[in-house]
Amino acid sequence: MSALSSHTKLNRWMAMIFIAIAILGLAVSFWFSASQTISHQSEKLASACGKIDKEVAQLFPSNDFRQVRVGNPDLLQQQMYRVTSTMSGTEGGFWHINSKFFGYSFPTYLGNDIKSGVPEAEKTLLSSLAQRSLEQRQITLSVQRNDSNALIGVACPVTTHEGLSAWLMQRTSLVPLSYTLLSVGLFSIILVLSVISLSRTIVFERSWYSERDRLVKQAEDETKPVPVTSGINEIQPLLMLLYQSRQKRINLERSISSLEAKLSRNHELSVVARLATSLARELQLRLKAANTDNKELVIEQIQQLLHSYINLDLRHRSHSGAEQINVKDWLQQVASYHQHNSAGDQQSINAICTEDLVLEQNYLLLRYAVDVFIMQAVTFGPKHGEVLLKAIERDNKLIIEIVDESEGLTKDEERRMFRQDDVLPEAYGKGLKPVRDALQSIGAEVSYQADGENSRFILQIPMTSD
């Protein structure tokens, strides 16, 4: 869009520049046209003639009577010479109606021959013009012209003398009318074309932005398809890009939804696999502890565990599978199992419970949670030292602490500890979200503490499943 904006701005500025050139050209053509040239020069000569009358009037005080004859022609010609010396190509003089005095001055004459007066034809014209000014008592004007030249004459009465008139004459070159018409026509065409171009540019900009806003509004509506056609050709590539990006996004969303479904299924399978592992460990413990002569009791315990496993649902708190557990014996059995099957040569796993506590809860979920925390300490904790299971009762809750000799986690790791699952955790504190969910399903809570020397997971479990 920035490229389009630059292009339209350039077109607008170019049109405005050509409009300014056309207007300036028309103004110059009009200013230098023949009629305007004659008008300008006539005004200039009339102003100079009036100035001559004032200059002469300064030589003759107003309280004196008007001069009847020209007794001082040289003095008058000096004033004429002084005024016309600043006017290039201007001839001037005086004419007296009675004595037929005809003064003449041409100070700006540049010719090589001697210029002593005007021809008889022009002299007749000027005397007639001067006589008319005396009769009308005002400045009079005479113009004789052809296509390329004009002879402009001006006469005005001299107020200090009776029957005396000053005259000025100038030959002026004119711009031929054909040239003026050609210039006016050319600049008029430029002006019209420039105005049309500017109008089209403005209309295009407005329609472009209007079309853009319409398309943006339509594209924001996810329920409608992206339009792929437009009345403005410059927008067409943008629409195709938008359509392609929308299709890519839809395909990506479908892929993400598919992956999320697979991840959700993998999560469920990982939880089932972990629960199955805890179930297998518990069955192994019970088979070892059971009296092989009492087969019916062994079968009953196995069926009870299998029933609780099959009916387990972590999304809701479930009372299925609840049974009474002797906490002291059970923790000792779990510690002994992991000591022989999970711990390394320099790792020891011990259990402490000083009270005879009986817990009524979902047996399999407790075993699953304790197994995960012990495996965390054994697998990712120090390769030597002790893992201690401690159990006490407080406020009708069983408090189980799984303590190991890890230094602890960072604040960021601790904040993320129970927020995400990890099917195959590769570090201490990872993949514990399913454990928290399992404990919450039976009304239990889990927390983590570290003091720089030891780390502990603290389970707070209701003593009964009611």
Side-chain angles (χ1 to χ4, degrees):
M1 187 175 69
S2 60
L4 178 63
S5 178
S6 300
H7 180 68
T8 54
K9 284 182 178 179
L10 178 61
N11 288 344
R12 189 190 313 121
W13 279 109
M14 290 297 293
M16 294 174 66
I17 290 172
F18 278 108
I19 288 174
I21 292 174
I23 294 174
L24 181 61
L26 289 173
V28 171
S29 300
F30 177 75
W31 181 264
F32 288 101
S33 65
S35 60
Q36 288 297 310
T37 300
I38 293 173
S39 176
H40 298 155
Q41 295 300 326
S42 299
E43 292 176 0
K44 184 177 179 181
L45 292 176
S47 176
C49 196
K51 185 177 180 181
I52 291 171
D53 182 41
K54 292 179 180 179
E55 292 288 340
V56 173
Q58 292 179 2
L59 301 175
F60 301 91
S62 59
N63 56 356
D64 292 346
F65 61 90
R66 296 180 68 183
Q67 301 291 322
V68 177
R69 60 186 181 84
V70 182
N72 47 3
D74 293 337
L75 185 60
L76 295 176
Q77 287 300 117
Q78 288 178 4
Q79 298 301 319
M80 179 63 72
Y81 187 92
R82 191 169 64 84
V83 173
T84 57
S85 62
T86 59
M87 302 172 63
S88 178
T90 301
E91 304 171 58
F94 294 92
W95 183 83
H96 195 269
I97 191 170
N98 295 323
S99 64
K100 306 302 180 182
F101 166 72
F102 197 91
Y104 178 75
S105 177
F106 194 1
T108 59
Y109 177 65
L110 300 177
N112 296 324
D113 55 337
I114 298 175
K115 184 76 171 176
S116 59
V118 296
E120 285 298 327
E122 293 177 354
K123 191 173 183 179
T124 302
L125 172 65
L126 293 172
S127 60
S128 174
L129 183 64
Q131 183 176 356
R132 186 150 44 95
S133 70
L134 291 173
E135 294 173 353
Q136 297 177 0
R137 296 185 179 183
Q138 63 180 9
I139 298 175
T140 57
L141 173 68
S142 174
V143 178
Q144 292 183 347
R145 56 169 291 186
N146 54 29
D147 288 342
S148 59
N149 295 286
L151 177 64
I152 305 173
V154 172
C156 60
V158 178
T159 56
T160 59
H161 289 70
E162 186 70 31
L164 182 63
S165 174
W167 60 268
L168 296 170
M169 183 179 67
Q170 188 179 60
R171 293 175 175 84
T172 303
S173 297
L174 302 178
V175 176
L177 180 60
S178 59
Y179 289 179
T180 301
L181 294 177
L182 179 62
S183 176
V184 170
L186 177 61
F187 286 113
S188 298
I189 292 173
I190 293 175
L191 178 61
V192 171
L193 294 178
S194 299
V195 170
I196 293 174
S197 176
L198 180 61
S199 301
R200 288 173 60 88
T201 301
I202 293 174
V203 170
F204 173 78
E205 281 185 340
R206 291 180 179 177
S207 61
W208 196 96
Y209 286 114
S210 176
E211 181 74 2
R212 181 202 63 180
D213 295 339
R214 184 187 70 81
L215 293 173
V216 168
K217 186 176 181 180
Q218 187 173 351
E220 288 176 349
D221 190 353
E222 299 289 340
T223 61
K224 296 182 180 179
V226 176
V228 294
T229 58
S230 173
I232 301 177
N233 295 330
E234 287 77 3
I235 300 181
Q236 198 71 30
L238 299 178
L239 294 178
M240 293 304 299
L241 290 175
L242 180 60
Y243 174 79
Q244 293 174 2
S245 62
R246 175 72 66 82
Q247 291 301 118
K248 290 181 179 179
R249 186 178 65 81
I250 293 174
N251 294 334
L252 288 175
E253 287 179 350
R254 290 174 179 173
S255 300
I256 291 173
S257 299
S258 177
L259 289 175
E260 287 178 347
K262 291 180 180 179
L263 289 175
S264 177
R265 180 59 179 166
N266 290 338
H267 170 70
E268 294 176 358
L269 292 175
S270 67
V271 173
V272 170
R274 296 172 192 178
L275 288 171
T277 301
S278 295
L279 173 63
R281 291 168 180 168
E282 188 62 32
L283 288 174
Q284 187 177 0
L285 279 178
R286 295 200 178 191
L287 287 174
K288 288 183 178 179
N291 184 356
T292 55
D293 293 336
N294 193 350
K295 296 181 180 180
E296 293 182 358
L297 179 60
V298 174
I299 293 172
E300 182 181 352
Q301 290 181 348
I302 292 174
Q303 289 177 344
Q304 186 177 8
L305 283 174
L306 291 175
H307 178 75
S308 64
Y309 176 76
I310 292 171
N311 291 281
L312 184 63
D313 186 356
L314 299 183
R315 292 171 297 178
H316 307 284
R317 181 171 177 175
S318 174
H319 301 286
S320 62
E323 60 177 287
Q324 290 186 348
I325 305 171
N326 186 302
V327 176
K328 183 177 182 180
D329 295 342
W330 179 72
L331 283 181
Q332 188 60 52
Q333 292 173 3
V334 172
S336 298
Y337 175 86
H338 282 284
Q339 180 68 59
H340 291 91
N341 296 279
S342 304
D345 295 338
Q346 298 182 1
Q347 293 175 322
S348 62
I349 303 176
N350 299 306
I352 298 177
C353 183
T354 58
E355 305 176 51
D356 290 329
L357 302 176
V358 177
L359 179 68
E360 184 180 350
Q361 271 295 353
N362 189 300
Y363 196 92
L364 180 58
L365 289 181
L366 289 180
R367 177 59 194 262
Y368 163 64
V370 173
D371 278 345
V372 171
F373 291 129
I374 293 176
M375 293 302 298
Q376 283 269 322
V378 169
T379 305
F380 304 111
K383 299 306 178 184
H384 56 81
E386 180 184 20
V387 177
L388 180 63
L389 309 180
K390 297 195 300 183
I392 59 172
E393 180 183 5
R394 183 188 305 148
D395 298 332
N396 199 31
K397 287 185 178 181
L398 177 65
I399 309 299
I400 298 179
E401 295 185 8
I402 298 94
V403 185
D404 61 73
E405 297 180 354
S406 299
E407 295 180 356
L409 303 173
T410 64
K411 294 297 183 182
D412 289 338
E413 291 172 339
E414 190 173 337
R415 280 195 296 268
R416 294 194 299 267
M417 178 179 292
F418 298 108
R419 294 185 180 179
Q420 55 188 356
D421 185 18
D422 192 343
V423 178
L424 296 174
E426 298 179 355
Y428 188 77
K430 297 291 183 66
L432 299 180
K433 183 179 182 299
V435 183
R436 184 202 61 182
D437 295 342
L439 291 173
Q440 288 179 347
S441 69
I442 60 173
E445 298 178 359
V446 59
S447 60
Y448 171 83
Q449 293 180 358
D451 56 12
E453 295 182 358
N454 297 300
S455 298
R456 67 188 67 222
F457 291 97
I458 303 172
L459 283 62
Q460 300 183 41
I461 307 162
M463 294 299 294
T464 63
S465 59
D466 296 332

